[in-house]
Amino acid sequence: MRQRAVSAREALRRHPWATSLMESRPTPGPANLRHHDAVLGILRNAGFSIELAAHAYSLLDAYIYGFALQETSLPLGTPEETAEVAKAIMAEFAAGTYPHLTEIAVEHVLQPGYDYGNEYQFGLDLILDGLDRALGAPSTGNSGAVSVKGPARAADLKETGRLP
């Protein structure tokens, strides 16, 4: 699942025009439908119930496309360009006006080696860890949160190669 998410983001980075078109068509094309079906198949084969597979797919889809949209919209290219943008923004306001934004910029974004793309990996790890926990959680009945088909846990499926 991780590789599919990384691959989708990489494709959207190569084709930034595609982000707004992929999910906006009233009648998706066969390639898009094959992708949806393949991801849902992986989730179902890994032990996700129909409902949890739908939740997981929606979450992953929103994250991948949302991040890709941000990447194409934000003026963040190389680390040097990102630093220039951050410094230019900070120069527009008085010191102390936006203390939390300044703190993030100075202590994180402007540090050597910062790459906005790494934020994607961090978020994807959080999502996949959460789905792993949801897969191993007991069914919650009518609340609609979690139900699992069989005893499989994502960690076990990863070890056996059934969950990428």
Side-chain angles (χ1 to χ4, degrees):
M1 197 53 59
R2 176 181 314 285
Q3 186 53 43
R4 278 190 172 275
V6 168
S7 176
R9 175 178 165 249
E10 289 171 356
L12 292 170
R13 286 183 76 191
R14 286 190 308 273
H15 308 286
W17 53 267
T19 304
S20 61
L21 296 177
M22 291 290 293
E23 301 297 325
S24 64
R25 294 174 41 189
T27 325
N32 199 0
L33 293 173
R34 276 192 303 276
H35 169 74
H36 291 319
D37 190 64
V39 172
L40 289 167
I42 289 169
L43 293 167
R44 291 291 287 139
N45 288 333
F48 284 74
S49 68
I50 291 172
E51 187 173 11
L52 187 55
H55 293 322
Y57 185 87
S58 180
L59 174 62
L60 287 163
D61 200 47
Y63 183 69
I64 294 164
Y65 287 101
F67 198 92
L69 182 61
Q70 268 191 306
E71 275 189 308
T72 59
S73 300
L74 293 174
L76 307 175
T78 65
E80 295 78 21
E81 292 169 332
T82 301
E84 287 178 33
V85 169
K87 288 175 184 175
I89 291 170
M90 290 182 352
E92 293 293 318
F93 54 84
T97 305
Y98 303 107
H100 303 295
L101 288 173
T102 301
E103 178 184 44
I104 291 294
V106 171
E107 299 297 324
H108 187 59
V109 176
L110 295 176
Q111 294 301 305
Y114 176 80
D115 180 354
Y116 181 69
N118 292 338
E119 305 295 347
Y120 182 79
Q121 294 299 330
F122 182 81
L124 183 59
D125 287 344
L126 288 176
I127 290 168
L128 294 176
D129 288 348
L131 291 174
D132 183 43
R133 284 191 303 278
L135 183 59
S139 175
T140 59
N142 293 333
S143 73
V146 176
S147 58
V148 177
K149 180 182 93 178
R153 290 201 22 86
D156 300 329
L157 294 169
K158 285 177 191 172
E159 287 178 16
T160 63
R162 288 181 49 208
L163 182 64

